[in-house]
Amino acid sequence: MALSPRAVALVLLGLVPVVIWPSGWTVRLWILGCLLVVGVDLLLAASPTGIGLARRPLGQVRVGERSHTEVLVTNAGRRPLRGWIRDAWQPSAGASPDRLALTVPAGERTILRTELAPKRRGDRLADRVTIRAFGPLGIAARQASVPLGGTLRALHPFPSRRHIPSRLAQLRQIDGRAAVRVRGQGTEFDSLRDWVDGDDVRSIDWRATARRQHLVVRTWQPEQHKRIVLVLDTSRTSAGRIGDTPRLDAAMDAALLLTALAGHARDRVQVLAGDARVRARVLSRGDAAGVLHDVISTLAPIDAQIVEADWDLLASEVSRLGRQRGLVVLFTAMEPSAIEEGLLPVLPALVARHRVVVASVSDPEVLAMRDARSDLADVYAAAAAERTLALRARTSAALRALGVTVIDEPPETLPTALADHYLALKRAGLL
């Protein structure tokens, strides 16, 4: 049961008869009358437990964008339903408004619409729907909460997608759509065409020329269907925050941009996310849009775990996915102790079979701390930052000595730096 402000006003209204007839019986009779009115109003209210509730299916939305959820409210009782209803969600789902006025005549139905603006990536869950049904006087209400499940998947905002058009233009140039395709390292036969002035005589196909009775040349294009494996470390080192963003989210942003480019280049993209066990696995299904959608949707609910990464497991999983040589990108924090004890021992076997890149998200705050010298506290902080950078540099040197390419950039520039490295490899025919 719940009482409205009208119930308080009704009790305070009893001050008038008390002033006119100042007696204990006056107070008792007024309180008894108030309880009677509240009881009658409560009995005439619709039963909230007899209200049918059903939630319509929810889709997906990027963090920062708005969506909505709809709940179908059916009044199967004999009394009209008047009151308030609240569709409760996790706070990070950004549900609004908090509650809605509701009027449903007997035997009819209506739709409750709640706006959702998720603030965090992942599955945002609904808790329950609370109905407060008032009587005809609006003084007392019957209240019940009914569990009504619902899940809104909040996808990664993917801020680096704004770089896709410029990188695709470079990719088209590499593919030869904007230039004459010539044979070289990392290319494969594409098609035959008629000779034009300026073509290399070494590209003439003499057999086709004999058949057609005019000069025909071969054209070449960069090799396609190369294997790209992206491994995201979801261990404790990925839980650290760079500014307001977890390190894992920044790594995902870079992985999504590379997935989009590799998909348009018709390379086979395979994505793994794991720590002590594999948390997610996505395999390319052919089209660029399809694989990007699969990666975004699959990685959305993945969060960092407070465990150590099992690089032996992740490396064996890379080998299990295929034997073809390819580009393996490891998204992990450049934390010396974690890399030296976990990753370094398994790298020689990976480097022997694949081209390996370690992509790490650096913290710009460390550089700012190193350069600050205004007071004694800043000097000590600068010394700590200098030591941190020295240890990271030593770890990077150890990785490069094994033949690993290290890309250590802040969150804003890591996606473009990794994409440019991929394009450089395609341009040089080194994939």
Side-chain angles (χ1 to χ4, degrees), residues 350-412:
L350 275 179
V351 172
R353 308 188 63 171
H354 305 284
R355 181 175 295 275
V356 180
V357 174
V358 171
S360 176
V361 183
S362 63
D363 190 351
E365 286 295 325
V366 177
L367 296 177
M369 290 172 58
R370 184 193 61 181
D371 298 334
R373 300 286 194 277
S374 59
D375 54 28
L376 183 61
D378 286 344
V379 171
Y380 278 106
E386 193 69 51
R387 173 174 172 78
T388 299
L389 293 174
L391 292 175
R392 291 173 69 93
R394 186 190 70 180
T395 304
S396 298
L399 293 173
R400 292 187 176 98
L402 293 175
V404 176
T405 301
V406 178
I407 301 178
D408 189 16
E409 296 286 341
E412 296 78 13

Side-chain angles (χ1 to χ4, degrees), residues 195-232:
W195 163 278
V196 295
D197 291 340
D199 283 340
D200 190 342
V201 295
R202 291 173 296 180
S203 64
I204 297 176
D205 188 311
W206 294 108
R207 292 185 178 180
T209 296
R211 290 194 301 269
R212 298 188 185 183
Q213 299 299 311
H214 59 268
L215 289 176
V216 176
V217 296
R218 298 189 185 97
T219 59
W220 309 86
Q221 66 178 2
E223 290 185 67
Q224 301 175 358
H225 308 297
K226 305 300 289 185
R227 185 180 176 217
I228 312 295
V229 183
L230 310 181
V231 182
L232 286 101

Side-chain angles (χ1 to χ4, degrees), residues 36-47 79 133-136 140-142:
L36 182 63
V37 171
V38 169
V40 171
D41 199 37
L42 192 64
L43 289 175
L44 295 178
S47 174
R79 298 188 181 98
F134 283 95
R142 304 167 71 177

